[in-house]
Amino acid sequence: MATNLDPHHLVALMCYTFKGTQDGSPRRVDPSLHSLQGGIVDHHETNVRTFPILDALAHISVSRKESQVVAIGLQLNSQKQEIRLTVAENQSVTHGLVNHLTKIWRKLQVLSVEYKKNRGGRWDKSELRSPQMPKKYSVKKQMKRIDKWSTRLRRFMKEVLKRRVFLYLQGFELSLYKAVVALLLAIEVVSKLHDNPKNKLMESEWELVYSQSILANKHVKIVLADRKEFGCEILAQELADHLSQDPFQLRRALEKLTSLSRHIETLFGFAHSPHLRPALQYHLFTSTVPKMVHTVKLPPSPQKWKSFLEVACDKHYDFQETQAVELAESFGSRKWVCPVHCECGLIQYLYTKQRNKWDRVPPFSYIGVSKLSCSACRIWIETFNEQSEWRFYTRCSHGKWYWPWGIPRTEGPLVGVMARKVLDEYLAHLDSHKLLRSNSDSSGASSDGASHGLSDDEEKDAEAVGAAIVQDRGGGGLGFFDDK
């Protein structure tokens, strides 16, 4: 029976089928459609503002350039004024990550007290205005984004200025110009850490990075929202037509280059929020999810894959011959060590009794993740929610399939239900491509969270600094955007 198929085999099949492309699944969770349990306060809209905070904590917990994804769960005991963050990775969680997360939380507690004292006031001009946070932990990941996108963004902006009169930039294009200038100024300073992360920046340099990054965030939000979120694509296509080349991925470049600063700004907003402040007054506990893997042996030969496909489709089709050969060539006959992805492992850990006091504290329904869930995780979480009295959500899925992938538990009714769901999506894909015919017949950004930006004076200062540097490099913008 098809329902007895191993979900690991089906996930491998889907990975082969889509080959790294998106499957069209929804990318965002709609908070209005879900009830939330275990939140900071008994208020739905306020708890929704916790979503980006948990995502931000997960995001800034990533330190490696490659192959690191972090998930964070929250439990809050208001009677004892205790809070626990549970951390999971696709691999083992390091002590360094836990220590980093603890330092971040303590700094947020300090900032919360400072903000409460000065609520409605301004920063003391005699003090640095950049909130002090652990700065270097996520630099490696950020430098990878800079290496990939900054030069191309610089060249794109220069092409924009060639086709526009600089003094007459307005609206969307003026916001884009201001965003790129601020971004590149921050990048120039941070790039000093590129070749030697042991280098130290002066506090005044960190302050410049902070002010320009926050300024860039403000203008990037305007740019990304322009013309019902199609402004970036329209401008990129216009320039592509002029240059006879593929459109520059402007939206993705801006999102990637501002991702770290956006998440840090979200955490500052968390510390500044009077509604969310109670969480920062509680004593923090942390726990980690042990690494979980399964050893999986896929069908070892074309004949075995062909039999698997016939059972999956409940019928023989001609295309199965070719697919079976390609599947056998792609996956071979070896055994696969399949890690359980962090969000699924975290949910299974929270659901399983650990024989400690936190077993009696319901976890918050939202799981913070540093990266959107893959399609296999999306389906597993959907299935878990249907089979359990608990409900969990992430920012949803990026719509891609990955292999190797491991299911948290290999027994119980959830396994068969998930297999059926994956199989249904595979059959729907085949049907959309008209492959299920007989031979005779003629397929986010979560809520913004609490806001925290520059004051009007700070914003003017940051723009003045940027304008002066641009003027020193030739004025009008063109010289500033030359390749370095």
Side-chain angles (χ1 to χ4, degrees):
M1 295 291 291
T3 53
N4 292 329
L5 294 176
D6 188 331
H8 293 107
H9 297 185
L10 288 164
V11 170
L13 174 61
M14 292 295 276
C15 185
Y16 155 81
T17 300
F18 285 96
K19 296 180 176 63
T21 60
Q22 294 177 328
D23 62 10
S25 57
R27 292 180 59 85
R28 294 181 181 177
V29 63
D30 184 351
S32 65
L33 300 179
H34 307 295
S35 60
L36 300 175
Q37 301 169 323
I40 292 177
V41 294
D42 188 17
H43 187 264
H44 182 84
E45 285 72 22
T46 301
N47 285 327
V48 167
R49 297 172 70 191
T50 313
F51 292 8
I53 294 167
L54 289 174
D55 288 330
L57 288 171
H59 187 92
I60 67 169
S61 296
V62 174
S63 61
R64 297 194 298 272
K65 285 184 178 181
E66 306 282 353
S67 304
Q68 186 182 15
V69 186
V70 176
I72 295 180
L74 178 149
Q75 290 169 281
L76 185 141
N77 187 332
S78 57
Q79 292 183 340
K80 294 186 176 181
Q81 295 194 338
E82 295 175 340
I83 191 168
R84 182 172 81 156
L85 298 179
T86 303
V87 188
E89 284 195 50
N90 289 1
Q91 304 298 324
S92 298
V93 180
T94 66
H95 292 299
L97 191 160
V98 175
N99 291 337
H100 171 70
L101 193 58
T102 302
K103 289 178 182 178
I104 291 292
W105 193 265
R106 288 173 180 167
K107 186 58 195 179
L108 291 174
Q109 289 176 319
V110 173
L111 285 174
S112 179
V113 173
E114 292 177 359
Y115 285 143
K116 184 182 179 182
K117 290 179 180 178
N118 297 288
R119 195 173 304 283
R122 295 182 181 275
W123 288 94
D124 186 338
K125 294 294 183 180
S126 65
E127 298 179 359
L128 288 173
R129 291 170 292 181
S130 166
Q132 303 300 295
M133 297 284 279
K135 304 178 180 80
K136 286 191 175 182
Y137 192 82
S138 300
V139 164
K140 288 183 180 179
K141 186 69 173 181
Q142 185 65 6
M143 292 311 305
K144 179 186 175 183
R145 301 184 186 106
I146 290 172
D147 288 344
K148 182 174 181 179
W149 293 107
S150 62
T151 298
R152 285 187 278 175
L153 178 62
R154 189 187 297 272
R155 292 172 180 172
F156 178 84
M157 196 65 228
K158 189 169 184 177
E159 291 297 332
V160 171
L161 294 177
K162 286 180 180 179
R163 287 163 177 76
R164 301 290 191 270
V165 177
F166 168 70
L167 294 177
Y168 296 101
L169 287 178
Q170 57 184 338
F172 163 81
E173 291 177 351
L174 180 59
S175 292
L176 175 63
Y177 171 80
K178 290 181 176 181
V180 176
V181 168
L183 260 177
L184 295 180
L185 288 175
I187 287 171
E188 284 185 10
V189 178
V190 174
S191 293
K192 294 180 181 180
L193 303 173
H194 188 283
D195 295 328
N196 185 7
K198 293 183 179 180
N199 284 340
K200 292 185 178 180
L201 299 181
M202 295 184 294
E203 289 301 327
S204 59
E205 291 177 308
W206 281 119
E207 185 180 2
L208 175 64
V209 171
Y210 167 75
S211 61
Q212 295 299 327
S213 296
I214 299 301
L215 183 63
N217 289 350
K218 173 188 174 181
H219 290 297
V220 165
K221 287 179 183 178
I222 296 172
V223 170
L224 297 183
D226 183 72
R227 282 170 278 186
K228 298 182 179 180
E229 300 187 355
F230 283 101
C232 289
E233 289 70 23
I234 292 171
L235 179 60
Q237 187 61 59
E238 177 189 336
L239 262 66
D241 292 342
H242 279 293
L243 300 173
S244 300
Q245 62 186 29
D246 293 334
F248 174 60
Q249 293 179 281
L250 176 59
R251 177 178 300 276
R252 187 162 180 80
L254 294 174
E255 289 176 339
K256 288 295 184 180
L257 290 172
T258 59
S259 61
L260 181 59
S261 59
R262 282 188 289 108
H263 287 300
I264 291 176
E265 185 178 4
T266 294
L267 293 180
F268 292 153
F270 174 31
H272 197 271
S273 170
H275 297 293
L276 298 174
R277 187 170 181 269
L280 288 171
Q281 296 176 297
Y282 291 176
H283 179 62
L284 175 67
F285 292 83
T286 58
S287 64
T288 60
V289 178
K291 178 181 177 180
M292 291 186 285
V293 298
H294 297 295
T295 300
V296 176
K297 188 172 179 60
L298 297 173
S301 66
Q303 185 57 42
K304 292 290 185 181
W305 272 114
K306 180 172 175 291
S307 298
F308 177 85
L309 293 172
E310 289 175 350
V311 172
C313 298
D314 199 28
K315 190 176 182 180
H316 170 75
Y317 293 94
D318 290 342
F319 73 86
Q320 293 166 350
E321 301 276 356
T322 301
Q323 279 198 0
V325 173
E326 293 177 352
L327 283 163
E329 292 175 348
S330 296
F331 297 109
S333 58
R334 68 183 178 91
K335 293 181 179 180
W336 290 84
V337 177
C338 300
V340 174
H341 285 194
C342 54
E343 56 267 58
C344 297
L346 175 57
I347 290 170
Q348 186 66 57
Y349 178 87
L350 293 172
Y351 182 72
T352 304
K353 298 296 183 184
Q354 303 298 325
R355 297 182 180 180
N356 59 42
K357 64 180 181 180
W358 292 101
D359 286 344
R360 299 186 295 275
V361 180
F364 185 43
S365 301
Y366 189 81
I367 299 296
V369 289
S370 61
K371 184 178 181 179
L372 292 176
S373 300
C374 70
S375 289
C377 289
R378 166 182 60 84
I379 293 178
W380 184 87
I381 294 172
E382 289 175 0
T383 308
F384 177 92
N385 289 343
E386 293 171 1
Q387 299 288 310
S388 167
E389 70 275 15
W390 290 10
R391 301 289 183 273
F392 289 99
Y393 314 101
T394 68
R395 279 185 292 163
C396 212
S397 170
H398 51 53
K400 294 182 179 180
W401 294 83
Y402 292 118
W403 181 261
W405 180 93
I407 194 169
R409 291 188 62 185
T410 57
E411 56 187 25
L414 187 152
V415 177
V417 176
M418 179 182 177
R420 182 72 252 180
K421 286 178 174 286
V422 178
L423 178 58
D424 286 345
E425 295 206 5
Y426 174 67
L427 295 177
H429 172 78
L430 294 181
D431 188 55
S432 69
H433 286 73
K434 306 184 187 309
L435 293 174
L436 296 182
R437 295 182 176 184
S438 65
N439 294 334
S440 60
D441 290 338
S442 59
S443 182
S446 54
S447 305
D448 288 336
S451 61
H452 176 85
L454 302 175
S455 69
D456 291 344
D457 289 342
E458 291 168 346
E459 186 173 309
K460 290 178 181 178
D461 290 345
E463 290 189 341
V465 168
I469 294 175
V470 170
Q471 189 65 34
D472 287 344
R473 298 183 187 177
L478 283 174
F480 179 79
F481 296 104
D482 286 337
D483 289 346
K484 303 302 177 185

